[in-house]
Amino acid sequence: FIVSAHVLGTAHTQTSAASPKKNDDIAGAGPRNSPTETSLQSSWSVLRLFAMQMYRHKNFKWFTSMNLLQVFHCHFNSNFFPFFLEHMLGRAVSPWMSATLLSVSFVLPHVNNLFFLSLCRRHGVYYVVRALFAVKVVLAMTMALVGPQSFVVVCVFIMSNRVFTEGTCKLLNLVVSDLVDEDFVVHGRQEPISALIFGTSALLTKPGQSLAPVLGIWFLTRMTGHSPFAEQKAADPSLSAPHNAMAVDRSAAPVAHSWSDMGPALDIQTACFNMLVAVPLVCGLLQIALWSQFSLHGTRLATIKRHRMMRDCRGTATKEPV
């Protein structure tokens, strides 16, 4: 992001240097900054200007907030999908079946994305994404009502949750492309700054990638009263007896300020089910609320596309009243 701004600032400085000198510069009035200082000052001014434009870009802010939750949910599924298979379906499916489900979960979103793209061409990206959020909420509520007793229903929910979530992530690049067109038209730019907008969106949503495993482990520890991986260490035959005993002791003793301080500790299967249902339900409801504020669809999107085509034909940089 900073390198791109520096390149823009350097180009701006070179353009300014190529213009005719002012009379006071010809007369030698006043000291002149070095080219490096001028380039640095111009880079930071361009960076501040771009940051303010993105801050005032309402659709970009709503999209980034929604996408932060989507990135969080995608990486939550990626990190805990094998964990949920082991602790919720381990008694019902064989290791070979678990490995097959894990492999299919990485391939099926790409295949299913072809169907989503056909829906986007027919109904628009905004409405398809909104429908996927609604499906996410409905599936989570249905799973909460059914409960963890049926292993078949749990397996279908885990797979569908991952497929729909990954499919939504792959469609959001189309929304960023529309935001690039809106920024190009509204701010009257000479050229679209696609790389800067894509990079800024990725930068602002990056925390969701890191928070997903951290919050997931924290919630499991709070609900069960011990580390969810302590039992795996205790059951690992490669560990020596003293280490095994230490792992068992840690799993039996609740951690400080655990969930058991406010109530009875839950078993690992119940804790996994609660988190499996709560994360898509909460994320889906928040995303529907944020996505409803996004206005770059329908008539406004058609207007932006029309102005973009007119700009491309004229080759001029003027702000359009959209």
Side-chain angles (χ1 to χ4, degrees), residues 7-19 38-39 42:
V7 171
L8 290 175
T10 303
H12 176 73
T13 303
Q14 293 175 353
T15 304
S16 301
S19 61
T38 304
S39 176
S42 180

Side-chain angles (χ1 to χ4, degrees), residues 16 25 39 70 97 127 163 170 185 192 203 228 264 267 285:
S16 301
D25 291 335
S39 176
Q70 188 65 27
M97 188 62 182
Y127 299 102
V163 169
K170 292 172 173 53
V185 173
L203 175 67
D267 61 273
L285 291 175

Side-chain angles (χ1 to χ4, degrees), residues 62-301:
W62 291 121
F63 169 79
T64 303
S65 302
M66 180 276 298
N67 197 21
L68 176 62
L69 293 172
Q70 188 65 27
V71 170
F72 173 85
H73 193 192
C74 285
H75 285 84
F76 174 83
N77 288 337
S78 301
N79 284 277
F80 288 96
F81 186 82
F83 188 80
F84 290 151
L85 287 180
E86 177 183 355
H87 288 278
M88 302 192 67
L89 302 175
R91 294 175 296 174
V93 297
S94 61
W96 177 85
M97 188 62 182
S98 297
T100 303
L101 291 175
L102 185 61
S103 302
V104 170
S105 69
F106 285 96
V107 178
L108 194 57
H110 297 276
V111 178
N112 200 33
N113 200 44
L114 299 176
F115 173 68
F116 290 154
L117 289 176
S118 64
L119 290 178
C120 290
R121 285 192 292 268
R122 188 180 307 171
H123 303 287
V125 181
Y126 174 83
Y127 299 102
V128 173
V129 172
R130 188 178 64 179
L132 289 174
F133 291 157
V135 169
K136 181 195 301 186
V137 173
V138 171
L139 288 176
M141 295 178 66
T142 304
M143 192 68 245
L145 295 175
V146 173
Q149 291 78 18
S150 176
F151 291 101
V152 176
V153 177
V154 172
C155 180
V156 172
F157 175 74
I158 293 176
M159 288 293 297
S160 60
N161 181 36
R162 177 170 173 80
V163 169
F164 285 122
T165 304
E166 292 291 337
T168 306
C169 286
K170 292 172 173 53
L171 293 178
L172 294 183
N173 285 334
L174 300 176
V175 182
V176 182
S177 299
D178 293 337
L179 289 172
V180 171
D181 291 339
E182 185 182 36
D183 173 82
F184 175 73
V185 173
V186 171
H187 296 110
R189 302 191 188 278
Q190 295 284 352
E191 296 291 340
I193 51 174
S194 307
L196 273 175
I197 294 180
F198 271 91
T200 304
S201 176
L203 175 67
L204 296 178
T205 58
K206 196 70 173 179
Q209 182 176 349
S210 303
L211 289 175
V214 175
L215 292 180
I217 295 298
W218 184 79
F219 276 116
L220 282 176
T221 304
R222 296 280 291 180
M223 285 187 286
T224 59
H226 58 80
S227 172
F229 299 105
E231 296 177 356
Q232 296 179 356
K233 293 180 181 179
D236 192 352
S238 62
L239 296 176
S240 59
H243 288 85
N244 245 343
M246 293 175 62
V248 173
D249 290 338
R250 285 196 207 98
S251 62
V255 296
H257 307 291
S258 67
W259 192 275
S260 58
D261 297 339
M262 297 172 284
L266 303 177
D267 61 273
I268 187 65
Q269 186 176 8
T270 304
C272 287
F273 178 78
N274 290 343
M275 193 167 65
L276 178 66
V277 173
V279 170
L281 182 60
V282 174
C283 288
L285 291 175
L286 291 176
Q287 285 175 310
I288 290 175
L290 293 171
W291 195 234
S292 63
Q293 303 298 320
F294 189 81
S295 62
L296 189 58
H297 60 89
T299 305
R300 178 171 177 80
L301 180 59

